[in-house]
Amino acid sequence: MPLMRASPLPWLAVGLVGCAGPPSLGSPAHLVDLTHTLSPRFPYIAIGDLTFPIRITEISSFEKAGVYSNKWELTEHNGTHIDAPSHFAAHARGLDELQARELFVPAAVIDFRAQANADPDALVGVADVQAWERAHGPVPARAAVLLWTGWESRAGSQTTFVNAGPDGTMHFPGFGEAAVTFLVSERQVSGIGTDTLSVDRGRDTGFAAHRALFGADKWALECLAHLGDVPPVGATLIVGAVKVEHASGGPARVFAVW
Ligand SMILES: [Zn+2]
């Protein structure tokens, strides 16, 4: 059974030991859902008439038709979601072209709350990654490096989550271009993620982190939840991204297990 030999996770093998019936995936000791519930109240980046909160319209009800279903209208970047390389890199892979093994990877969580608290424009630099590595060891190959800024506590409010100044400039922390370049070229990460609206700082309109990341054919997760419940190292991330043709991104149900 290849799954027993290839499994990176002890609990997968444990679930199969002595299994007389169909293989079981067993139960991980820890399972955390890193996904916000997407609703019309969830914050989003307002760009003219281009973007909007999800619109949910009932198209069939039990009362009228005996069956319940809704129509959704959303952009590819509402709520907890993944960005594909094609979002910022021409001719790069769309979401449907990401491989399963890229979405099932070790997680490395950087606690950036102190810096974010002190300065909403705080930027993750190479020194921050190296400080993390001194405490926890090298970022594992193929990892997803996730930024825990504490921004999640603001997610109930468009105003505080976006945190725009009087001139409309958004203020929330993000990855610096040098840190992203270091992670993709020196650490071979699969992707990066954050609990804010963007892996770039809110004030950075050149999207240097996005460009460095997607230029290297990697992905990004935005608006993650519950990163504080995940250890800095040792968890595996499972990214259940939708698979839509040529998508630049899309909603994702994201789990950490260990
Ligand atoms: Zn996005």
Side-chain angles (χ1 to χ4, degrees), residues 155-226:
S157 162
Q158 170 76 11
T159 301
T160 57
F161 202 63
V162 171
N163 198 32
D167 64 350
T169 300
M170 299 184 293
H171 297 278
F172 51 78
F175 286 89
E177 180 182 12
V180 172
T181 299
F182 176 79
L183 289 171
V184 299
S185 60
E186 304 293 329
R187 295 295 181 266
Q188 288 77 45
V189 298
S190 295
I192 63 175
T194 180
D195 54 7
T196 71
L197 283 158
S198 172
V199 291
D200 272 289
R201 286 194 299 194
R203 64 178 294 172
D204 287 342
T205 53
F207 305 108
H210 274 87
R211 294 184 196 285
L213 185 73
F214 299 141
D217 198 33
K218 309 302 181 184
W219 50 253
L221 287 166
E222 292 165 337
C223 300
L224 289 167
H226 304 141

Side-chain angles (χ1 to χ4, degrees), residues 77 81 83 222:
H77 304 271
H81 71 280
D83 287 0
E222 292 165 337

Side-chain angles (χ1 to χ4, degrees), residues 238-257:
I238 301 172
V239 184
V242 297
K243 195 172 183 181
V244 177
E245 192 174 38
H246 302 316
S248 76
R253 187 85 184 246
V254 185
F255 303 99
V257 295

Side-chain angles (χ1 to χ4, degrees), residues 4 7 12 15 30 37 42 49-50 56 69 75 81 94-95 100-101 111 132 149 174 177 179 187 211 229 238 245 253:
M4 292 184 71
S7 168
L12 282 180
H30 303 278
T37 296
F42 195 82
D49 296 332
L50 291 179
I56 304 172
S69 66
T75 75
H81 71 280
L95 192 52
R101 61 185 155 72
D111 182 353
W132 185 94
T149 73
E177 180 182 12
R187 295 295 181 266
R211 294 184 196 285
D229 295 336
I238 301 172
E245 192 174 38
R253 187 85 184 246

